[in-house]
Amino acid sequence: MTRRSMILALAVAGLSGVAAVAQPALARPAPTADVRLLSLNDFHGNLEPATGSSGTAIDESGAAVPAGGAAYAATHLKRLGNRNSLTVAQGDMIGGSPLISAAYHDEPSVEFLGKVGVTASAVGNHEFDEGYKELLRIQKGGCHPTDGCSPAGKWKGAEFDYLSANVLKEKNGKTLLKPWTVRRVNGVKVGFIGVVTKTTPTIVSADGIKGLRFEDEVVAANRSARELRKRGVRAMVLLVHEGSNVPQNQRPDACGVAPESAGTRIAQDADPEIDMVLSGHTHQQYLCTLKDPDGRPRLYSSGSSFGKVITQVDFKVDKKSGDVVRSTVVGDNHVVTRDVPPDPATEKFVRTWKERTAAIADKPIGKITADLDRKPSPTGETALGDAIADLQLASMKDKGAQVALMNPGGVRADLTFKASGSEGDGVVTYGEAFAVQPFSNVMGQVTLTGEQLDKLLEQQWTGAGEKILQPSATLRFAIDRARPVGDRVSAITIDGKPVDPAASYKVAANNFLLGGGDGFTVFKDGKDQVLGPVDLDALVTYFGANSPVAPPKLDRITGK
């Protein structure tokens, strides 16, 4: 070997030796990927913080604190988000909305949700308030067929997918919207399935869902889970617009869900391939670990309503199997407090839409002497509910109405004595009235026998719980919750006289109830139906003629 070749050989050997020493062992790729979900439910177009008790939430210490509002929700979402996070929703994000959003068919709220990164949402029953064709427009885009384009121009459609696995078209059995969608985050795939409460036909106007069928939530969710599995998606999240009832004033991370609640059943019975169930509909806050059909722990949560709580769920996905590692799932319900700086861009966005409705919203319509709120008495009466029943009776008096009944779910906000703006204490504005009665239901009346009226009042209790109808001052009755369902109402009087089972009575209610809404099907058996004004118009007229309006005494329903 020549000297040159020897030097080269030694040099190569030396370099190889150096390389062997300097080269670190290849780091093994992480076996799992981190994922964070942030979720909202039952926003109901509350771009501004809700008023009264609707604008507070119970925090971790058990205190009621001011909460909600789009600008504050945006700040909290930004603080909680990271590069591995996805934001989702569980329905009723629109519908039953204040004027700032409803005046433009909730386009402002859907735009806001897109701006804060919502990528998928289950449909809720309130997404059908204006009918399924309007929901399709909100999803896909286009100007409103009657009112035209908003001041923002042609509606481009939602930036997120509405999911409706259990909403089927009767003519072909296909889903109205996508049943599920898949998102890739941090190198792994996560599938989202959306379902809405199967009771939707009983709580929305029948005309708006004509031609649709609402399937059992678990059946539809399981079908979608099988479809996702076939496509190689193992990490699955169920977004369900159905929920559970919990004890009053429960803290955000407590569980306490009633075992008989519809949402609890879904969370326990859904396909074990589904790794977590994020819910809504009942406007409650809870964070639970329940057992799936295979006996494995599964997260089940809900985040209050009106943008007051954000649910955060952190978990790891096994990169090899693609499935969620259940032992890593950690949930946390965060109250959207207003002690943080509001997001400037969102604040400007909300202010723009507020200015577009200000001329109408700020107009005074009357006065109140004290809060008219929805705090129930032991029997279920509320001051605002009774007041609305009174004004609805007044709106139908010229048609001969003797009593009026109001569904509690149709009363959407409190009327507070303290001014919310510059209008002055005790002044009620059109915007505040709209927030109370946002559905544009039409008043009407039917003739019922005394026997039918008794059966109607017995329908306040079902297997799903109770819904106490709010009576006008002309109607009195007693209840006894200790008695069997179907035999809890007694001592019914109208204008102080006992109701005769064989006599006929004219009963006023909104067209939602008259159509059998909320399960009050006896209304559909009524005779001689006549219609009257829109419920909001009735409210405005009554306040204009009877201000100041005082809270009624809660003595129309007796018993326990």
Side-chain angles (χ1 to χ4, degrees), residues 89-128:
Q90 292 93 260
D92 275 10
M93 307 307 287
I94 59 176
S97 307
L99 188 64
I100 185 176
S101 182
Y104 298 105
H105 302 280
D106 280 315
E107 290 176 18
S109 291
V110 177
E111 184 178 351
F112 159 71
L113 295 170
K115 287 178 179 293
V116 295
V118 171
T119 188
S121 175
V123 296
N125 53 284
H126 279 287
E127 266 80 13
F128 293 94

Side-chain angles (χ1 to χ4, degrees), residues 281-296:
H281 187 51
T282 57
H283 291 203
Q284 305 296 326
Q285 53 186 26
Y286 47 83
L287 189 64
C288 302
T289 299
L290 303 179
K291 295 291 182 65
D292 70 15
D294 284 350
R296 294 193 298 158

Side-chain angles (χ1 to χ4, degrees), residues 54-72:
S54 296
T56 63
I58 303 300
D59 68 9
E60 290 80 358
S61 69
V65 298
Y72 297 101

Side-chain angles (χ1 to χ4, degrees), residues 208-382:
I209 56 170
K210 189 175 182 180
L212 299 180
R213 176 166 61 89
F214 289 77
E215 192 177 27
D216 181 82
E217 305 94 342
V218 172
V219 170
N222 291 358
R223 181 176 59 246
S224 292
R226 291 192 295 271
E227 292 172 357
L228 287 169
R229 177 72 184 267
K230 288 178 182 178
R231 289 163 173 77
V233 179
R234 297 293 308 280
M236 301 182 199
V237 179
L238 178 59
L239 308 174
V240 54
H241 190 72
E242 181 58 281
S244 298
N245 295 312
V246 300
Q248 191 174 10
N249 295 327
Q250 177 170 284
R251 299 183 187 192
D253 290 334
C255 182
V257 297
E260 69 275 10
S261 295
T264 308
R265 174 189 69 86
I266 296 167
Q268 292 174 325
D269 293 352
D271 194 310
E273 286 284 342
I274 295 170
D275 296 291
M276 59 200 70
V277 179
L278 310 183
S279 69
H281 187 51
T282 57
H283 291 203
Q284 305 296 326
Q285 53 186 26
Y286 47 83
L287 189 64
C288 302
T289 299
L290 303 179
K291 295 291 182 65
D292 70 15
D294 284 350
R296 294 193 298 158
R298 177 159 62 192
L299 180 138
Y300 173 50
S301 70
S302 177
S304 186
S305 61
F306 304 155
K308 295 185 293 187
V309 172
I310 296 168
T311 300
Q312 173 187 331
V313 184
D314 290 299
F315 56 92
K316 296 181 183 295
V317 175
D318 187 297
K319 289 185 176 179
K320 185 175 181 180
S321 69
D323 205 355
V324 171
V325 181
R326 293 274 183 99
S327 61
T328 67
V329 177
V330 178
D332 192 3
N333 274 339
H334 299 274
V335 174
V336 177
T337 57
R338 295 186 222 153
D339 57 358
V340 298
D343 178 67
T346 305
E347 194 173 37
K348 180 180 179 181
F349 174 82
V350 172
R351 185 167 58 250
T352 296
W353 287 103
K354 184 176 177 63
E355 290 170 353
R356 287 168 173 165
T357 59
I360 299 173
D362 295 343
K363 182 179 178 181
I365 66 162
K367 293 184 176 182
I368 55 178
T369 63
D371 288 352
L372 285 177
D373 60 30
R374 295 166 296 159
K375 183 179 180 180
S377 70
T379 59
E381 276 186 89
T382 71

Side-chain angles (χ1 to χ4, degrees), residues 6-49:
M6 185 180 292
I7 292 172
L8 288 174
L10 290 171
V12 170
L15 288 173
S16 299
V18 170
V21 172
Q23 179 67 35
L26 292 176
R28 292 184 178 181
T32 60
D34 293 330
V35 177
R36 171 172 291 182
L37 297 183
L38 302 174
S39 76
L40 294 164
N41 57 274
D42 297 274
F43 183 66
H44 288 292
N46 278 266
L47 294 171
E48 296 181 285

